[in-house]
Amino acid sequence: AQSVTQPDIHITVSEGASLELRCNYSYGATPYLFWYVQSPGQGLQLLLKYFSGDTLVQGIKGFEAEFKRSQSSFNLRKPSVHWSDAAEYFCAVGAGSGYSTLTFGKGTMLLVSP
Amino acid sequence: EPEVTQTPSHQVTQMGQEVILRCVPISNHLYFYWYRQILGQKVEFLVSFYNNEISEKSEIFDDQFSVERPDGSNFTLKIRSTKLEDSAMYFCASRTDYTGSPLHFGNGTRLTVT
């Protein structure tokens, strides 16, 4: 069965600093990988997805993620964090029909300090 | 941009009562999902629904749960006899029909069972 590990429960980053959120997955085939963000009281918003091709994928809000098969990782990055990026971030792997049955990680809460 | 809407945003019910959580998926989407997130835990897949029938379900989705698309726009989750451990945030999601199309999530319904 597939699984996703997000090793950091909380991360605090200064505004303007760079960000990297870690995600490791376990899946028996080529994974479909996603990053979602959840602001307080909101639903899950898709940041970006990886299916195949270029291993560096660009998403919304200036985020990018790099798929590294050898490390089973799909880390999320942003070169300069804004205060509005404070939220919880979820990595997910897709399986099942249409690769849309998502298995989520536990999430990483991003705090942005002034 | 079209979005998935869920009602109510918060539902309080007594143990043993039936609840129905309602969702209006994006209008041209064909696949529908329910996920839940118990406080402090992962977002978990419950069920997927396509062509008026369940296409996949998790072990969480036992006989107490049912889903229905009663008309052309609504998608409901019914819990027949709620238990304390059903307290969670329930997310509805939908997607189009191409492989790997991302899920679009609603803002969730917080269910509190007392």
Side-chain angles (χ1 to χ4, degrees):
Chain A
Q2 62 274 11
S3 66
V4 175
T5 302
Q6 293 179 249
D8 304 305
I9 298 173
H10 295 102
I11 280 187
T12 300
V13 174
S14 298
E15 190 167 16
S18 63
L19 168 72
E20 183 168 29
L21 301 182
R22 295 183 290 167
C23 171
N24 292 96
Y25 69 89
S26 172
Y27 185 59
T30 300
Y32 280 50
L33 295 161
F34 306 83
W35 275 99
Y36 282 85
V37 60
Q38 184 181 29
S39 299
Q42 302 296 309
L44 296 160
Q45 181 184 22
L46 178 70
L47 283 176
L48 47 77
K49 61 184 187 287
Y50 170 78
F51 294 154
S52 63
D54 194 348
T55 56
L56 184 64
V57 292
Q58 302 297 319
I60 62 170
K61 305 184 180 186
F63 286 92
E64 65 179 26
E66 186 170 14
F67 170 62
K68 292 186 178 179
R69 186 187 298 276
S70 61
Q71 298 176 17
S72 298
S73 70
F74 188 56
N75 294 349
L76 182 71
R77 302 194 294 246
K78 186 170 184 178
S80 177
V81 167
H82 188 262
W83 64 266
S84 61
D85 293 324
E88 189 154 25
Y89 292 79
F90 294 91
C91 181
V93 62
S97 172
Y99 299 90
S100 58
T101 302
L102 301 180
T103 298
F104 285 87
K106 285 190 173 182
T108 297
M109 179 66 72
L110 173 64
L111 306 172
V112 180
S113 61
Chain B
E1 185 178 327
E3 56 183 33
V4 176
T5 57
Q6 291 186 243
T7 55
S9 57
H10 193 186
Q11 173 97 43
V12 182
T13 189
Q14 289 190 324
M15 197 167 52
Q17 295 297 303
E18 174 184 287
V19 293
I20 297 176
L21 309 183
R22 302 182 190 280
C23 169
V24 178
I26 295 173
S27 61
N28 65 337
H29 286 188
L30 299 177
Y31 289 80
F32 314 112
Y33 302 80
W34 285 100
Y35 284 76
R36 79 171 185 190
Q37 184 182 27
I38 295 171
L39 189 63
Q41 299 188 24
K42 292 184 182 187
V43 177
E44 303 172 291
F45 167 74
L46 292 179
V47 65
S48 60
F49 190 86
Y50 172 72
N51 200 25
N52 284 318
E53 60 183 27
I54 290 173
S55 48
E56 290 179 75
K57 62 181 181 179
S58 71
E59 59 191 24
I60 302 168
F61 194 87
D62 61 22
D63 293 343
Q64 291 298 313
F65 292 89
S66 62
V67 289
E68 193 177 30
R69 187 155 164 82
D71 53 43
S73 59
N74 291 283
F75 179 53
T76 62
L77 174 69
K78 182 193 291 186
I79 308 176
R80 228 176 306 280
S81 176
T82 51
K83 303 187 282 283
L84 293 176
E85 54 265 37
D86 293 327
S87 295
M89 180 75 88
Y90 288 80
F91 292 105
C92 175
S94 68
R95 70 173 181 93
T96 60
D97 62 349
Y98 67 87
T99 297
S101 61
L103 270 62
H104 295 258
F105 285 85
N107 285 347
T109 293
R110 179 164 296 286
L111 176 66
T112 303
V113 182
T114 62

